Amino acid sequence: MLAAVLRGARDIRVEETPTPVPGDGEVVIKVEVCSVCGSDLHAYNGMHPKVTYPRILGHEYSGVVSEVGKGVKDVKPGDRVGADTNLTCGACVYCRNGRVNLCPSSKTLGFNMDGAYAQYIKIPVGINIYHLPDNVTFEEAALAQPLGVGFNAVKRRAGVTVGDVVAVMGAGPIGLSCLLLAKASGAFVVISDTLDHRLETARKLGADVTINISQEDLMERIRELTGGEGVDKVIEAVGGRQDMTLMQSTQIVRRGGLIVVVGTFSDNKASLRITEFKDREMELKGARGQHNTFKPCMRLISTGRVNVKPMISHVLSLQEIESGLQMMTDPAEKVSKIIIKF
Ligand SMILES: [Zn+2]
Ligand SMILES: [Zn+2]
């Protein structure tokens, strides 16, 4: 089969590799769509802590079952499916108590197991596979993974509900996923970014207010919108190499409000206005990845409550993967989500 193999930092090659064969309990999926994640770019640049080489990246995927190993009963060849990405141990205190995404020994397809930048992917025993509803496309199913990250942040960690005023900082795919989920929950959603094309996508996805923070004063706009009070909840979905958003979060959230950090901060640090944080009794929570989110996200997509399609900005072939990864660093390319179609 053809696969894009990452052999080292900035060394990705589309080459012929052995097609995986399912062992007992394993399933091989013919990949139809794999979308490109910001963390794939980190991996390509040699900056992802989990990645070992050589590695086939790709963890946001969907396809058709091509072969099943002995003992597999839930799916059969020809079934349209999506699947989770994390293989958790099932035995630790977190796995046994419903905090599966906190499993300290979890492994992830596309980072420390081979992923879906390939014509076929082998799903090991222990990773759940799901049938796709007939009206859900392979493209939409691939986006159920980033949508699941938003689901974990917005529903499980932030508990966003009808009537909440929510500020989402960052309109990349995870910020946009958070926007979709917060809107589907009945919240009033303000979203900010520095790039107009991202905010344009946010408006297509139903944002109530968009703020370009390179042109407008975020604090001022939030004060206007909330009568000086601040928002109920902030979802930080920027991360990266900056030290502004967490400080801004404490300035735009109301007294007693909640800040949920889902963005990945590359330098592992961010400053907080600690006195405001303490005196105004704010709450701060982390949100990590996704788990058990595929079914609810599929239902939200198939019933039309959430429309992920406007997030797709580019459709490329596997051969174009390297230029796709490089496009993500160039704002002129206006990348929101790149889809690799097989
Ligand atoms: Zn991802
Ligand atoms: Zn575990």
Side-chain angles (χ1 to χ4, degrees):
M1 68 168 182
L2 272 184
V5 183
L6 185 67
R7 299 206 158 268
R10 292 191 195 83
D11 180 9
I12 194 164
R13 301 178 208 170
V14 178
E15 56 191 33
E16 200 60 46
T17 57
T19 302
V21 177
D24 289 359
E26 295 178 333
V27 172
V28 172
I29 296 173
K30 181 181 178 295
V31 179
E32 294 289 338
V33 165
C34 184
S35 65
V36 181
C37 177
S39 57
D40 297 339
L41 181 62
H42 289 303
Y44 170 70
N45 285 325
M47 284 158 56
H48 198 294
K50 272 188 169 180
V51 171
T52 51
Y53 308 111
R55 179 65 57 222
I56 300 171
L57 304 176
H59 58 277
E60 305 174 359
Y61 60 97
S62 62
V64 175
V65 173
S66 67
E67 218 182 320
V68 300
K70 236 208 269 162
V72 173
K73 292 193 177 69
D74 299 344
V75 294
K76 58 180 191 315
D79 287 358
R80 301 169 74 246
V81 293
D84 283 335
T85 54
N86 291 318
L87 180 62
T88 49
C89 80
C92 72
V93 65
Y94 305 102
C95 283
R96 283 184 285 112
N97 288 282
R99 302 289 301 269
V100 178
N101 58 329
L102 302 184
C103 176
S105 44
S106 72
K107 291 177 82 179
T108 309
L109 288 170
F111 294 118
N112 43 21
M113 296 184 289
D114 279 339
Y117 286 177
Q119 288 175 311
Y120 296 87
I121 180 174
K122 183 167 77 172
I123 311 298
V125 181
I127 288 191
N128 293 318
I129 299 177
Y130 308 90
H131 288 104
L132 305 187
D134 290 342
N135 69 341
V136 171
T137 64
F138 290 118
E139 286 82 353
E140 291 172 307
L143 295 184
Q145 198 279 338
L147 190 66
V149 176
F151 188 91
N152 183 58
V154 169
K155 181 182 189 319
R156 299 203 180 120
R157 305 299 290 148
V160 171
T161 186
V162 63
D164 278 349
V165 179
V166 176
V168 177
M169 303 184 86
I174 297 301
L176 293 173
S177 297
C178 291
L179 160 69
L180 284 168
L181 272 314
K183 284 301 295 176
S185 312
F188 179 89
V189 185
V190 184
I191 186 163
S192 61
D193 203 282
T194 54
L195 299 173
D196 276 329
H197 75 88
R198 288 181 158 196
L199 295 171
E200 201 182 301
T201 308
R203 284 190 287 276
K204 282 186 202 152
L205 296 179
D208 294 289
V209 177
T210 57
I211 302 175
N212 185 327
I213 57 162
S214 59
Q215 292 155 22
E216 298 172 85
D217 185 330
L218 177 69
M219 272 72 85
E220 190 58 44
R221 286 294 312 278
I222 296 285
R223 265 195 294 274
E224 278 166 26
L225 288 164
T226 60
E229 210 169 74
V231 300
D232 298 307
K233 288 161 185 173
V234 177
I235 314 278
E236 198 291 336
V238 178
R241 209 157 252 134
Q242 50 86 25
D243 191 18
M244 256 172 37
T245 51
L246 195 58
M247 282 197 283
Q248 287 171 334
S249 298
T250 58
Q251 292 175 289
I252 63 171
V253 78
R254 67 163 166 75
R255 286 169 186 261
L258 170 67
I259 300 162
V260 170
V261 178
V262 66
T264 301
F265 285 77
S266 326
D267 294 329
N268 194 17
K269 59 182 182 208
S271 309
L272 192 67
R273 295 170 73 96
I274 193 71
T275 305
E276 280 168 26
F277 180 75
K278 175 218 169 259
D279 284 349
R280 300 171 73 200
E281 293 201 349
M282 294 169 188
E283 283 181 85
L284 180 64
K285 289 185 181 180
R288 182 191 195 211
Q290 45 81 230
H291 66 105
N292 296 337
T293 54
F294 201 93
K295 276 188 184 171
C297 286
M298 275 298 115
R299 196 170 295 121
L300 286 163
I301 293 169
S302 73
T303 56
R305 282 178 173 79
V306 154
N307 178 13
V308 291
K309 280 189 212 137
M311 280 167 65
I312 300 169
S313 56
H314 297 72
V315 180
L316 302 179
S317 67
L318 184 66
Q319 268 76 11
E320 296 170 296
I321 183 65
E322 188 161 26
S323 53
L325 288 162
Q326 287 163 354
M327 278 160 70
M328 291 168 81
T329 60
D330 181 0
E333 296 286 353
K334 300 188 173 182
V335 172
S336 179
K337 204 64 174 156
I338 296 173
I339 293 282
I340 301 293
K341 209 165 173 170
F342 289 81

PDB file of all heavy atoms in Angstrom, residues 37-40 59-60 111 145-146 149 174 337, ligand 1:
ATOM      1  N   CYS A  37      -4.194  17.451  11.193  1.00  0.00           N
ATOM      2  CA  CYS A  37      -4.347  18.124  12.476  1.00  0.00           C
ATOM      3  C   CYS A  37      -3.116  18.999  12.741  1.00  0.00           C
ATOM      4  O   CYS A  37      -2.019  18.707  12.267  1.00  0.00           O
ATOM      5  CB  CYS A  37      -4.457  17.050  13.560  1.00  0.00           C
ATOM      6  SG  CYS A  37      -4.574  17.699  15.237  1.00  0.00           S
ATOM      7  N   GLY A  38      -3.294  20.034  13.528  1.00  0.00           N
ATOM      8  CA  GLY A  38      -2.165  20.877  13.939  1.00  0.00           C
ATOM      9  C   GLY A  38      -1.080  20.060  14.613  1.00  0.00           C
ATOM     10  O   GLY A  38       0.115  20.354  14.475  1.00  0.00           O
ATOM     11  N   SER A  39      -1.473  19.010  15.331  1.00  0.00           N
ATOM     12  CA  SER A  39      -0.462  18.193  16.014  1.00  0.00           C
ATOM     13  C   SER A  39       0.346  17.370  15.006  1.00  0.00           C
ATOM     14  O   SER A  39       1.482  16.979  15.293  1.00  0.00           O
ATOM     15  CB  SER A  39      -1.107  17.298  17.069  1.00  0.00           C
ATOM     16  OG  SER A  39      -2.085  16.483  16.491  1.00  0.00           O
ATOM     17  N   ASP A  40      -0.218  17.118  13.821  1.00  0.00           N
ATOM     18  CA  ASP A  40       0.562  16.452  12.762  1.00  0.00           C
ATOM     19  C   ASP A  40       1.687  17.373  12.297  1.00  0.00           C
ATOM     20  O   ASP A  40       2.782  16.916  11.969  1.00  0.00           O
ATOM     21  CB  ASP A  40      -0.329  16.105  11.564  1.00  0.00           C
ATOM     22  CG  ASP A  40      -1.424  15.108  11.925  1.00  0.00           C
ATOM     23  OD1 ASP A  40      -1.273  14.393  12.942  1.00  0.00           O
ATOM     24  OD2 ASP A  40      -2.427  15.046  11.195  1.00  0.00           O
ATOM     25  N   HIS A  59      -4.686  10.763  12.531  1.00  0.00           N
ATOM     26  CA  HIS A  59      -5.575  10.191  13.555  1.00  0.00           C
ATOM     27  C   HIS A  59      -7.026  10.650  13.409  1.00  0.00           C
ATOM     28  O   HIS A  59      -7.854  10.338  14.253  1.00  0.00           O
ATOM     29  CB  HIS A  59      -5.039  10.547  14.950  1.00  0.00           C
ATOM     30  CG  HIS A  59      -4.903  12.021  15.169  1.00  0.00           C
ATOM     31  ND1 HIS A  59      -3.810  12.734  14.752  1.00  0.00           N
ATOM     32  CD2 HIS A  59      -5.738  12.925  15.720  1.00  0.00           C
ATOM     33  CE1 HIS A  59      -3.967  14.004  15.047  1.00  0.00           C
ATOM     34  NE2 HIS A  59      -5.139  14.156  15.634  1.00  0.00           N
ATOM     35  N   GLU A  60      -7.330  11.412  12.352  1.00  0.00           N
ATOM     36  CA  GLU A  60      -8.714  11.876  12.142  1.00  0.00           C
ATOM     37  C   GLU A  60      -9.169  11.251  10.836  1.00  0.00           C
ATOM     38  O   GLU A  60      -8.953  11.810   9.770  1.00  0.00           O
ATOM     39  CB  GLU A  60      -8.723  13.410  12.063  1.00  0.00           C
ATOM     40  CG  GLU A  60      -8.074  14.065  13.278  1.00  0.00           C
ATOM     41  CD  GLU A  60      -7.952  15.582  13.143  1.00  0.00           C
ATOM     42  OE1 GLU A  60      -8.343  16.141  12.107  1.00  0.00           O
ATOM     43  OE2 GLU A  60      -7.474  16.212  14.107  1.00  0.00           O
ATOM     44  N   PHE A 111       0.638   8.633  16.264  1.00  0.00           N
ATOM     45  CA  PHE A 111       1.743   9.247  17.021  1.00  0.00           C
ATOM     46  C   PHE A 111       2.727   8.180  17.519  1.00  0.00           C
ATOM     47  O   PHE A 111       3.888   8.218  17.197  1.00  0.00           O
ATOM     48  CB  PHE A 111       1.228  10.094  18.185  1.00  0.00           C
ATOM     49  CG  PHE A 111       0.460  11.296  17.709  1.00  0.00           C
ATOM     50  CD1 PHE A 111      -0.877  11.457  18.042  1.00  0.00           C
ATOM     51  CD2 PHE A 111       1.062  12.246  16.901  1.00  0.00           C
ATOM     52  CE1 PHE A 111      -1.585  12.554  17.572  1.00  0.00           C
ATOM     53  CE2 PHE A 111       0.361  13.341  16.432  1.00  0.00           C
ATOM     54  CZ  PHE A 111      -0.972  13.499  16.770  1.00  0.00           C
ATOM     55  N   GLN A 145     -13.388  13.420  15.145  1.00  0.00           N
ATOM     56  CA  GLN A 145     -12.311  13.363  16.150  1.00  0.00           C
ATOM     57  C   GLN A 145     -12.039  14.762  16.731  1.00  0.00           C
ATOM     58  O   GLN A 145     -12.173  14.944  17.947  1.00  0.00           O
ATOM     59  CB  GLN A 145     -11.061  12.707  15.548  1.00  0.00           C
ATOM     60  CG  GLN A 145     -10.057  12.195  16.592  1.00  0.00           C
ATOM     61  CD  GLN A 145      -9.155  13.273  17.159  1.00  0.00           C
ATOM     62  OE1 GLN A 145      -8.949  14.326  16.558  1.00  0.00           O
ATOM     63  NE2 GLN A 145      -8.603  13.019  18.347  1.00  0.00           N
ATOM     64  N   PRO A 146     -11.711  15.770  15.901  1.00  0.00           N
ATOM     65  CA  PRO A 146     -11.558  17.112  16.508  1.00  0.00           C
ATOM     66  C   PRO A 146     -12.848  17.615  17.152  1.00  0.00           C
ATOM     67  O   PRO A 146     -12.787  18.303  18.182  1.00  0.00           O
ATOM     68  CB  PRO A 146     -11.130  18.004  15.330  1.00  0.00           C
ATOM     69  CG  PRO A 146     -11.369  17.217  14.089  1.00  0.00           C
ATOM     70  CD  PRO A 146     -11.330  15.774  14.464  1.00  0.00           C
ATOM     71  N   VAL A 149     -12.890  16.490  20.627  1.00  0.00           N
ATOM     72  CA  VAL A 149     -12.049  17.285  21.535  1.00  0.00           C
ATOM     73  C   VAL A 149     -12.866  18.482  22.045  1.00  0.00           C
ATOM     74  O   VAL A 149     -12.829  18.825  23.228  1.00  0.00           O
ATOM     75  CB  VAL A 149     -10.756  17.751  20.814  1.00  0.00           C
ATOM     76  CG1 VAL A 149      -9.931  18.664  21.717  1.00  0.00           C
ATOM     77  CG2 VAL A 149      -9.931  16.543  20.374  1.00  0.00           C
ATOM     78  N   ILE A 174     -10.069  23.305  16.494  1.00  0.00           N
ATOM     79  CA  ILE A 174     -10.563  22.970  17.834  1.00  0.00           C
ATOM     80  C   ILE A 174     -11.461  24.096  18.359  1.00  0.00           C
ATOM     81  O   ILE A 174     -12.535  23.851  18.922  1.00  0.00           O
ATOM     82  CB  ILE A 174      -9.396  22.671  18.810  1.00  0.00           C
ATOM     83  CG1 ILE A 174      -8.602  21.447  18.335  1.00  0.00           C
ATOM     84  CG2 ILE A 174      -9.912  22.460  20.246  1.00  0.00           C
ATOM     85  CD1 ILE A 174      -9.387  20.152  18.194  1.00  0.00           C
ATOM     86  N   LYS A 337      -9.307  23.421   7.660  1.00  0.00           N
ATOM     87  CA  LYS A 337      -9.046  21.986   7.801  1.00  0.00           C
ATOM     88  C   LYS A 337      -8.695  21.413   6.431  1.00  0.00           C
ATOM     89  O   LYS A 337      -9.434  21.610   5.458  1.00  0.00           O
ATOM     90  CB  LYS A 337     -10.316  21.311   8.351  1.00  0.00           C
ATOM     91  CG  LYS A 337     -10.062  20.018   9.071  1.00  0.00           C
ATOM     92  CD  LYS A 337      -9.238  20.206  10.319  1.00  0.00           C
ATOM     93  CE  LYS A 337      -9.084  18.958  11.137  1.00  0.00           C
ATOM     94  NZ  LYS A 337      -7.884  18.985  11.977  1.00  0.00           N
TER      95      LYS A 337
HETATM   96 ZN    ZN B   1      -5.958  16.046  16.083  1.00  0.00          ZN
END
